[in-house]
Each structure stands twice: as structure tokens, then as C-alpha cells.
Amino acid sequence: MNASDASRRCVGILAGGGPLPGQVAAAAAAQGRDVFIVAFQDFAEPAVVAPWPHAYVRLAAAGSILSELRKHDCGDIVLIGPVRRPSFRDLRPDAEGARILARLGRALFAGDDGLLGALVRILGEEGFTVRGAHEFLSQSLGRTGALGRHEPDETARSDIERGVEVVRELGKLDIGQGCVVQNGVVLAVEAMEGTDAMLKRAGQCRQPGEGGVLIKLCKPGQERRADMPTIGPRTIEEASQARLVGVAFEAGATLLTDPKACIAAADNAGLFLFGV
Amino acid sequence: MNASDASRRCVGILAGGGPLPGQVAAAAAAQGRDVFIVAFQDFAEPAVVAPWPHAYVRLAAAGSILSELRKHDCGDIVLIGPVRRPSFRDLRPDAEGARILARLGRALFAGDDGLLGALVRILGEEGFTVRGAHEFLSQSLGRTGALGRHEPDETARSDIERGVEVVRELGKLDIGQGCVVQNGVVLAVEAMEGTDAMLKRAGQCRQPGEGGVLIKLCKPGQERRADMPTIGPRTIEEASQARLVGVAFEAGATLLTDPKACIAAADNAGLFLFGV
């Protein structure tokens, strides 16, 4: 099959939570592509999924997932929206799911990168092409420099530098994607708890003085087709609650779930939104 | 003055929270030394301080601190027990305190190591000899291997290995002293929030399966005379609540606040206590 055949085939969206699955669907449709959403039960939001052709499946029902994708002739696949790792007790895989769990093997116990990388590999072996959400949402990718009205000052720039160094080192260890730095002191480091929880904690362990920056970056080995750092209005709200002065993100490798709302929220709260 | 003169002089204990200041006082007294406790208001525990000659001072009242130490002819000084960094608003230094704040300068904004290292240096310049609490409490230092009935299994040993690697790297960045690893996945990393808060969070982001180890180490540049990792019965309790299988610590560089109680609590909860 040549590229033009491939591009006429349906885009399959494996949808976790949040608004991004709907945005990918709209962007693909705007490119003239058909769209089918495989919505993960308990994670995908009904209001996001409802406008599009879709089916709900359990996360571990790999047989149903693959057959839905094949039935709707999906060639390209996008994995988008957060899901929690289920416990084995809740997993209840179907027959195909059990086979795929066996193929995942030790990757099930690896960090997120290992697990998601293995999933992308298996979907490739099954004949699908996994695309990054950012390939459809290029206008939602954070760009270099200040996105809103506010700019980092000298202190904030040096906190950003320190944060970048810290997150790069953490990334090499396959830990988290972010940290909070205030006047050179690392207040909090993100592991499995997620950015919002880290921001709450950073607010509670602020040090004397003003300042404080959230730094979020892609990990060096991060599977961007399955797991890209995202920033939403909620991130800005939590950063503001923690009395930070801004948010720094990796330009070209961070999705803003709602760029206009993020920038407006940052402008109102007096925070910078800065792509490095 | 020769060593025998110095050893007759009083041991000054700058006391933060918890039971260790009292233990250092008892150990120094058992060596035939006089003891005087300078107890930090709002941090030192009255019941711990009460049995010994003592005075309460505010953390920033450096003038009072130095004059108390000199009045009681303290040559050796021990800094022991946690204090929080005060905010500048709450600091209200006395005249000597303001001079010392100026001498601390940029170290005030450094990580803990920088700040404590600078304090130790200044106390040295003022003519005092800063001793580590472990020089008096050698029997409370965690030793190599299993302290109680339980031993780490293969999985736990490999989690300990991963945790040691992670904390070593974090330490190079002057971040925290600990992390929690479960089956190779780093659940949580400690920055400014402290070990107890990290353990609570680790319990909430457990991954499928059993296991999980708390790893605590000294940072490479850590000022052991002012800030040594400690493990207490509370640590064991929190680790057990988070359903961990054990606690690994740096042998010879970790103080157990109450070794018997820690080992009994670990034995009862089925946890190992393992010095690496």
C-alpha cells in the first residue's frame, strides 16, 4: 500500500482522560481523515468522546481493542490522554490481552518509558502505525520563549537553568518529568504522583522569599508518540496556588491542552509560560 | 589549650526537635562531660530539654546563642534535632544574628548542605569545635546488614540497588536523601518535604504487585556534623502503612533515634532494616 492509500485510512484514537482525544479527532477530521475513537472505560470522558464514532473498551481487553481498530480500518493510531496503571487484580485481560501481557513481559515492571515503548512496538508488530498526538496538534505545541505577557526575570532564569539540569538528570534515571525550584533550592521532584500533586506539595514547602518555577521536560528516552508532557489551565491554577512566578516547558515537546486558556490564566495570575 | 583541657570543657548542644538532643546530653554526661543545652524555641521539646541545664533562645537570636555558649564555657558544640528554615518575616534576628546572616550571605539561598556547611564554618570561626552527634551516639549508628529478624529478598535487593543509584545521583544535585522503589519503579523522590511525607505519597502511588523499599543515604557533600539522616519508629510506622517490605540506610552514616524501638517495630511489621 502506498502513502496515499494509508492517508485515506481511518485514524484510530486510543483515548484516556481529558480533552486532548477530542482535539486530535477534530484535527484529523479537519485534514479530511476519518476518525474512530477506542475509549478506555473509566478514563475517557463521555462528553469528549460522544461527538465521534466510538466504542468503549476495558484497558486490558486488547482483543476488543485490536478488533475495533481493524473493523474500522484504522492504519494510523494515536494514544492520547492519561490512564492510571491498573493493578493486576483489576486488569482482567481478555485472551488477546493475556497474550499481549506475556509479550510485554518485564516491561510491565519497567518505568513508564519502558512500558509505553513496548506497547508502541507491539502495536507496530500488529500492523498499525503509531503517530504522536503532536503530529495532529502542531498548533498546540508550546513554542520557544514567553507565550503570554510575562517574562522570567534574572532569578527565575537561573531557577529554570537549575531545574533543567535536575530534570535532565532525573530523566536519565527514568524518573518523572518535572521539579519545582525556588531561589536555587529544589522544593519538590516529580516521580509517580504527577505534576498537580507535586505543585501542591511545593506550595507547602516554600522557602523564605518570593519566586519559584515549575520546570517540565521530556525525558531523554521518552516515547513521545505515547506520552508527551502536557500543560493545562489546571497546571497554571496549581502553580499560582503554590505562589510560583512561572512555568517553563520544553519547546516543541510539550502539549498545551488548551493554549488560549493556558495563556489567559497565566496572564491573569501574573505567571510566565516559557518555552526552553 | 591542649586536648585534655578541651575535654574538660562543657559540651554545648544546639537543640532542635525530637529525642536526640537528650540522648547526646546523656552520652556526653556518661563520658564525664558537663552539658549545656541551647534549646531553639518552638522546635526543642521541653520534656527532652528539662532534665539538663538549658536556656531557650530564638533560632535567629545568634547573639544570645553565642553568649549562652560562652557563659557556660562550651568548647565542643553539637547541632542536633530538626528545625524548619524560618521565613524572613519570622526571623527577627538580634544584632549578632544580623551580622551572621550577612556572613551567611548567598548560602542562605543554597540547598541545606550549603547553609549548614556555612553555619559550621562560622561557629568554627567563633572559636567553637562542631562535633557530629554520631561522635557521642556511636551505639545508635546503623551498622551494615540486617538489624532485625527480616532480610531483603532478591527483588528487594535489586530495588535497593536501584534506589542507591537514584539517591546518589540526586545527592550530587543537593536534593533530598531518599526515595522509594517498588519492583524497579521509582514511586517517590524526597526533596524538601521530608521522609514521612514522601512515604505517605509512595503509599498512594503504589504500582501493581507487592514490594517496595525506602532507601535513605547521606548526600555526598552532606555536612554530617550538622545534618545526618535519621530513622525513628515513626519512619518504620510510615513505611509499614505504605506497605513497603523494608528500609535500607547508609551504614555508619544514619542515626536511629531509638534503635531498640526501631528494630522491634520493624520485626513486628515484617519489615527489614538493612544497612548498605
Side-chain angles (χ1 to χ4, degrees), chain A residues 54-66:
Chain A
H54 67 273
Y56 281 94
V57 297
R58 286 188 304 107
L59 195 54
S64 310
I65 294 168
L66 295 176

Side-chain angles (χ1 to χ4, degrees), chain A residues 12-16 40 77-81 116 119-120 123 130-133 224-228:
Chain A
I13 300 172
L14 300 184
F40 291 124
I77 290 184
V78 179
L79 286 79
I80 186 69
L116 291 169
L119 273 173
V120 166
L123 285 165
V130 180
R131 304 275 180 204
R224 296 186 190 193
R225 285 172 296 172
D227 179 30
M228 186 168 260

Side-chain angles (χ1 to χ4, degrees), chain B:
Chain B
M1 173 189 321
N2 61 36
S4 113
D5 284 335
S7 70
R8 276 202 298 274
R9 291 175 65 192
C10 186
V11 177
I13 300 173
L14 300 184
L20 286 173
Q23 294 179 23
V24 172
Q31 293 173 17
R33 306 284 298 268
D34 284 334
V35 166
F36 186 79
I37 297 185
V38 175
F40 291 124
Q41 244 170 47
D42 304 326
F43 298 107
E45 292 180 17
V48 170
V49 166
W52 308 95
H54 68 274
Y56 282 93
V57 297
R58 287 187 304 108
L59 194 54
S64 312
I65 295 168
L66 295 176
S67 74
E68 290 289 348
L69 292 172
R70 289 192 175 116
K71 192 162 73 189
H72 296 88
D73 192 30
C74 298
D76 290 336
I77 291 185
V78 179
L79 286 78
I80 185 69
V83 297
R84 280 188 321 277
R85 276 182 192 225
S87 76
F88 282 126
R89 194 174 311 162
D90 301 334
L91 205 54
R92 295 178 295 123
D94 60 14
E96 185 64 35
R99 272 192 290 274
I100 286 185
L101 283 176
R103 278 159 79 184
L104 284 169
R106 276 204 58 82
L108 273 175
F109 302 101
D112 279 354
D113 290 351
L115 179 57
L116 291 169
L119 272 172
V120 167
R121 180 176 49 75
I122 286 174
L123 285 165
E125 288 166 9
E126 293 293 327
F128 302 101
T129 305
V130 180
R131 303 276 180 206
H134 57 288
E135 297 178 44
F136 293 92
L137 300 177
S138 52
Q139 74 285 19
S140 301
L141 271 178
R143 57 168 174 73
T144 305
L147 300 192
R149 270 195 285 128
H150 304 284
E151 296 261 0
D153 63 10
E154 269 309 295
T155 309
R157 278 175 196 270
S158 112
D159 281 349
I160 291 171
E161 236 170 79
R162 172 123 166 83
V164 167
E165 179 199 24
V166 166
V167 183
R168 289 258 177 271
E169 287 302 318
L170 291 170
K172 289 184 198 162
L173 298 163
D174 194 9
I175 303 174
Q177 305 175 335
C179 73
V180 175
V181 180
Q182 183 199 6
N183 296 322
V185 176
V186 179
L187 297 183
V189 166
E190 181 180 347
M192 297 295 291
E193 74 276 19
T195 305
D196 291 347
M198 176 184 61
L199 284 171
K200 278 210 171 65
R201 183 164 86 248
Q204 286 154 9
C205 22
R206 287 185 63 82
Q207 296 299 293
E210 306 298 314
V213 180
L214 165 66
I215 295 99
K216 278 196 83 158
L217 302 176
C218 238
K219 286 182 274 185
Q222 189 162 345
E223 178 51 77
R224 297 186 189 194
R225 284 172 298 173
D227 179 29
M228 187 167 260
T230 60
I231 287 174
R234 174 81 182 275
T235 318
I236 308 296
E237 168 64 20
E238 292 283 355
S240 167
Q241 290 282 330
R243 295 192 282 129
L244 303 188
V245 294
V247 175
F249 57 84
E250 184 164 341
T254 308
L255 278 174
L256 302 178
T257 56
D258 185 340
K260 272 188 197 161
C262 285
I263 292 170
D267 282 351
N268 284 334
L271 269 67
F272 62 79
L273 250 178
F274 193 78
V276 289

Side-chain angles (χ1 to χ4, degrees), chain A residues 23-275:
Chain A
Q23 294 179 22
V24 172
Q31 294 174 14
R33 306 283 299 268
D34 285 334
V35 166
F36 186 80
I37 297 184
V38 175
F40 291 124
Q41 244 170 48
D42 305 326
F43 298 106
E45 292 180 17
V48 169
V49 165
W52 307 96
H54 67 273
Y56 281 94
V57 297
R58 286 188 304 107
L59 195 54
S64 310
I65 294 168
L66 295 176
S67 74
E68 289 289 348
L69 292 173
R70 290 193 174 117
K71 191 161 74 189
H72 296 87
D73 192 31
C74 299
D76 290 337
I77 290 184
V78 179
L79 286 79
I80 186 69
V83 296
R84 281 189 320 278
R85 274 183 193 225
S87 76
F88 282 125
R89 195 174 310 162
D90 300 335
L91 206 54
R92 295 179 295 122
D94 60 13
E96 186 63 37
R99 272 192 292 274
I100 286 184
L101 283 175
R103 279 159 78 183
L104 285 170
R106 275 205 58 81
L108 274 174
F109 302 100
D112 280 353
D113 289 351
L115 180 57
L116 291 169
L119 273 173
V120 166
R121 180 176 51 73
I122 287 175
L123 285 165
E125 290 166 6
E126 294 291 327
F128 302 101
T129 306
V130 180
R131 304 275 180 204
H134 57 289
E135 298 179 43
F136 293 92
L137 300 177
S138 52
Q139 75 285 18
S140 300
L141 271 178
R143 58 170 173 74
T144 306
L147 299 192
R149 270 195 284 129
H150 304 284
E151 297 261 0
D153 63 9
E154 269 309 295
T155 310
R157 277 174 197 271
S158 110
D159 281 348
I160 292 172
E161 235 170 79
R162 172 122 164 84
V164 166
E165 179 199 23
V166 167
V167 182
R168 288 256 177 272
E169 287 303 318
L170 292 170
K172 287 184 199 161
L173 299 163
D174 193 8
I175 303 174
Q177 306 176 334
C179 73
V180 175
V181 181
Q182 183 199 6
N183 297 322
V185 176
V186 179
L187 297 183
V189 165
E190 181 181 347
M192 297 296 290
E193 73 277 20
T195 305
D196 291 348
M198 176 185 58
L199 283 171
K200 277 211 172 64
R201 182 165 86 248
Q204 287 155 7
C205 21
R206 288 184 63 83
Q207 296 299 291
E210 305 298 314
V213 180
L214 164 66
I215 295 96
K216 279 196 80 157
L217 301 175
C218 237
K219 285 182 275 184
Q222 191 162 346
E223 178 51 77
R224 296 186 190 193
R225 285 172 296 172
D227 179 30
M228 186 168 260
T230 60
I231 287 174
R234 173 82 182 275
T235 318
I236 309 296
E237 167 63 20
E238 292 283 355
S240 167
Q241 291 281 331
R243 294 191 284 129
L244 304 189
V245 294
V247 175
F249 57 84
E250 184 164 341
T254 308
L255 279 175
L256 303 177
T257 57
D258 185 339
K260 274 188 194 160
C262 286
I263 293 170
D267 282 350
N268 282 336
L271 270 67
F272 61 79
L273 249 179
F274 193 79

